[in-house]
Amino acid sequence: MRSGLLLEGVRPLGGPRQRILIKEGRIAEVGEHVGDRAAVRVDCTDLVALPALVDLHTHLRQPGGEHAETVASGTRAAAAGGYGAVVAMANTDPVADSVAVVEEVAHAAAGAACAVLPAGAVTRGLGGEALADIRGMAASRAAVRVFSDDGRCVHHSALMRDALRQIAAVGGVLAQHAEDPLLTVGAQVNDGRIADLTRLPGWPAAAEESIIARDCVLAAHEGARLHVCHVSTAGAVEVLRWAKARGIAVTAEVTPHHLLLTDDLALTGDPLYKVNPPLRAPEDVAALRRALAEGIIDAVATDHAPHAAADKTPPWCGARPGMLGLETALAVVAETLVETEAMGWADVADRMAVRPAHIAGAGRRFGRPLQRGEPASLVLIQRLPWQVRPADSLSLSRNVPYSGRSFTHRPVLTMLDGRITHDHHGLLNGAGPT
Ligand code: DOR
Ligand code: ZN
């Protein structure tokens, strides 16, 4: 009987061709001459192998928004994008601010196409007034380590300080949606030229940068870990650079859309391009790419935000912010950073798997090196031009901002603990789990 898989010709982290032998859900061996007569051989010539990706920022919409996404559909989209784990944001209905809701999400994710790490809300009902049951959620079966009011900023300084203290005590991280709401009342598009041209209220960079600066100071005083969600401005990068130089325990993420798209897309009036924080100017995009390559920004996180079609139709001001991201993130990073030679595949693995896994407290299971004895959780990437067709998405929603756009790379096979969770070409048809 066949047992195990022998992936032939793969290039771990984009390096020289190797064979990877997978048995019983683990990597049994990696090397040029590895062989195993019982294993099913799979021709993977020149496919780049990375550890399965980890997304720090996914909106799965369950409970309460199942018309837009569910744990099942969102995790299928994640697997198609090369992900082995996603952090599920807490802005559901009801909000994930209690043991009951985070355990419900964890339960719904049993057997799903990728692992789900439920985030807990920082404040009750995302209301920004009283802390959620942080200790309870951390101690629950969902073992929450990422706490976030994402969608909203934890604005009240004293509450933020108390939250940092409690979250530090449970060994977690506070993921802040950095937006001073007093500076973004009615804001619709990037402040400056685009706000002037569209005559819509502008979204100033200061709303983001001032909160990041404040929170870095609070985190330093509390000895707590802070993570900054979807950094979008060049100034925010400078604040992070300052905080990191001082040894403050801050990490940050950037979204694929902020690495690729610019604020002039708002001139189309198409709410597909409406997102929070807004698309920014080309100078910001350039600074974000540099910061990711340098490591000042630690991670790429999708902010996959599914919305029903009715919520993304004009007029702009009535539409909800957010765009899909799980299935296209790797292609965007390959195009903006690998093809431009700003980053190598080892850097991509670091920013999309290793660091996110550590930030989420999942570093023992995810973001592991592709070595003997490690879990067989990996993604294989092919260099093959392809075109984005929203109808192909495995998400229940269609609000992908890259319709018709071509990319050069795509994940073709995703494996989680030896289980095939996505197989674009049917490479492993019939091979079954290892
Ligand atoms: O664009 C966004 N959409 N930004 C957020 O912070 C929340 C998200 C959502 O939940 O739709
Ligand atoms: Zn957010």
Side-chain angles (χ1 to χ4, degrees):
M1 207 189 102
R2 296 273 180 199
S3 83
L5 283 177
L6 187 63
L7 309 180
E8 298 184 324
V10 284
R11 299 174 51 215
L13 305 183
R17 286 183 196 161
Q18 303 277 331
R19 292 177 176 178
I20 300 181
L21 178 65
I22 291 164
K23 278 187 163 177
E24 290 165 8
R26 293 196 170 263
I27 296 176
E29 238 174 309
V30 182
E32 267 176 84
H33 306 291
V34 173
D36 186 308
R37 293 198 175 195
V40 175
R41 295 162 64 157
V42 189
D43 179 7
C44 299
T45 303
D46 286 340
L47 301 182
V48 170
L50 305 185
L53 310 180
V54 176
D55 190 24
L56 286 167
H57 196 142
T58 298
H59 296 277
L60 289 177
R61 305 293 192 222
Q62 186 179 340
E66 288 87 348
H67 59 288
E69 199 76 288
T70 62
V71 169
S73 65
T75 52
R76 278 197 293 269
Y83 288 89
V86 299
V87 173
M89 280 300 173
N91 63 341
T92 48
D93 182 14
V95 169
D97 61 358
S98 65
V99 170
V101 180
V102 292
E103 288 193 343
E104 179 187 334
V105 174
H107 182 73
C114 84
V116 174
L117 313 169
V122 177
T123 71
R124 248 183 264 160
L126 306 183
E129 284 174 3
L131 292 184
D133 183 10
I134 290 167
R135 290 192 200 91
M137 289 189 280
S140 74
R141 272 175 294 172
V144 175
R145 290 293 175 273
V146 178
F147 294 87
S148 183
D149 272 6
D150 181 66
R152 308 227 187 120
C153 179
V154 182
H155 185 228
H156 192 293
S157 305
L159 198 66
M160 180 66 181
R161 178 200 55 198
D162 295 349
L164 284 164
R165 191 176 293 167
Q166 271 202 28
I167 292 166
V170 299
V173 63
L174 194 157
Q176 174 71 298
H177 170 114
E179 173 193 348
D180 185 334
L182 301 178
L183 295 177
T184 57
V185 178
Q188 293 292 332
V189 296
N190 192 21
D191 204 16
R193 193 175 80 88
I194 299 301
D196 295 345
L197 285 170
T198 56
R199 298 175 185 233
L200 290 171
W203 199 300
E208 178 170 328
E209 294 159 13
S210 59
I211 293 290
I212 300 175
R214 179 201 72 173
D215 290 351
C216 286
V217 172
L218 289 174
H221 281 279
E222 293 304 322
R225 281 169 61 214
L226 171 71
H227 177 73
V228 184
C229 297
H230 42 53
V231 169
S232 72
T233 74
V237 169
E238 291 317 304
V239 177
L240 290 166
R241 190 187 304 282
W242 165 84
K244 288 193 166 196
R246 293 193 50 165
I248 295 172
V250 59
T251 54
E253 69 188 35
V254 62
T255 69
H257 45 274
H258 289 109
L259 288 171
L260 181 61
L261 306 178
T262 46
D263 55 359
D264 53 336
L265 286 166
L267 300 175
T268 65
D270 187 339
L272 262 185
Y273 304 114
K274 180 171 175 177
V275 65
N276 172 356
L279 298 176
R280 302 288 192 183
E283 309 83 81
D284 296 302
V285 172
L288 295 169
R289 291 185 188 183
R290 280 196 304 270
L292 184 68
E294 267 183 86
I296 293 287
I297 293 178
D298 300 83
V300 174
T302 65
D303 198 1
H304 178 85
H307 287 297
D311 291 322
K312 292 299 276 182
T313 43
W316 179 281
C317 294
R320 299 223 186 144
M323 30 183 82
L324 301 188
L326 286 167
E327 291 160 286
T328 44
L330 194 110
V332 172
V333 171
E335 169 169 332
T336 55
L337 290 137
V338 180
E339 291 287 288
T340 58
E341 296 186 2
M343 274 170 46
W345 287 111
D347 302 314
V348 176
D350 183 65
R351 313 295 196 275
M352 296 187 81
V354 180
R355 288 206 220 183
H358 276 106
I359 292 166
R364 286 165 64 150
R365 181 167 173 212
F366 290 100
R368 309 293 305 176
L370 296 173
Q371 281 170 10
R372 177 209 284 248
E374 297 289 355
S377 298
L378 51 84
V379 52
L380 301 183
I381 300 156
Q382 186 174 29
R383 190 173 200 291
L384 179 77
W386 65 289
Q387 215 182 24
V388 178
R389 285 187 306 196
D392 293 345
S393 175
L394 297 179
S395 168
L396 292 184
S397 294
R398 291 289 170 265
N399 54 313
V400 51
Y402 312 116
S403 182
R405 197 183 263 269
S406 292
F407 290 108
T408 50
H409 289 80
R410 74 184 305 164
V412 289
L413 190 115
T414 312
M415 202 183 280
L416 177 63
D417 295 321
R419 171 165 67 104
I420 313 303
T421 54
H422 172 67
D423 185 356
H424 181 73
H425 293 305
L427 277 178
L428 291 177
N429 264 347
T434 64

